[in-house]
Amino acid sequence: MRGKKIGIGLCILGMLFGCTKHEPKLIVKLFYLDSCGGCQELHQNLIVKIEEQFHDEILIERYDMDQEENKAVYDEAVTQIDIDNLKMLDGHQVPFLAVEGYFATVGYSSHLDEHYLNALKAILAHEDFEPHLPPGAGTWLYKEAYRGI
């Protein structure tokens, strides 16, 4: 009985002092190859900015495409985006960034970082994020059935 009281007391203390596990509000899946220059640049720029600005709110899952099991995760992400020509992503193109439930993009250019950061801010604020996405090819929305928040 005494052990049960101590356990309950520790739970209450944990809740009071913020020792509970924090769940991220958003998952970003990064598919990359170590030998890919664009992947390295994306990680050193955009991913670092995301981690600095949204460290508690966004979880970044990294998938090395040299690992065979990660190809199935990539393929599943691709089936959820609204893309007319799936062949465009055949061969597991990288870097591929999937903001689960919202949008995905392939390729990287650092001049688009602010577009992506603003889109993430809008998503977390439950606002329309689409105007913040960069124009042009290489970025797709998730299909309606897979949309988040």
Side-chain angles (χ1 to χ4, degrees), residues 103-120:
F103 69 90
T105 185
V106 69
Y108 178 69
S109 179
S110 62
H111 77 277
L112 298 175
D113 285 0
E114 287 306 310
H115 286 282
Y116 294 121
L117 293 171
N118 288 332
L120 293 172

Side-chain angles (χ1 to χ4, degrees), residues 32-94:
Y32 69 92
L33 287 169
D34 286 333
S35 59
C36 165
C39 300
Q40 293 170 8
E41 185 181 353
L42 181 136
H43 185 270
Q44 293 167 354
N45 293 303
L46 182 59
I47 297 300
V48 168
K49 291 175 185 176
I50 292 171
E51 289 174 333
E52 288 173 353
Q53 291 183 31
F54 307 105
H55 56 90
D56 287 340
E57 298 176 292
I58 297 177
L59 172 67
I60 299 176
E61 296 178 350
R62 292 167 173 82
Y63 296 93
D64 181 350
M65 294 306 291
D66 279 331
Q67 304 296 316
E68 195 62 36
E69 64 272 12
N70 291 338
K71 293 178 181 174
V73 179
Y74 184 105
D75 293 340
E76 177 66 22
V78 168
T79 64
Q80 296 177 9
I81 61 174
D82 194 7
I83 181 172
D84 293 333
N85 185 2
L86 284 177
K87 290 187 182 286
M88 187 172 200
L89 294 174
D90 277 357
H92 302 110
Q93 300 294 314
V94 293

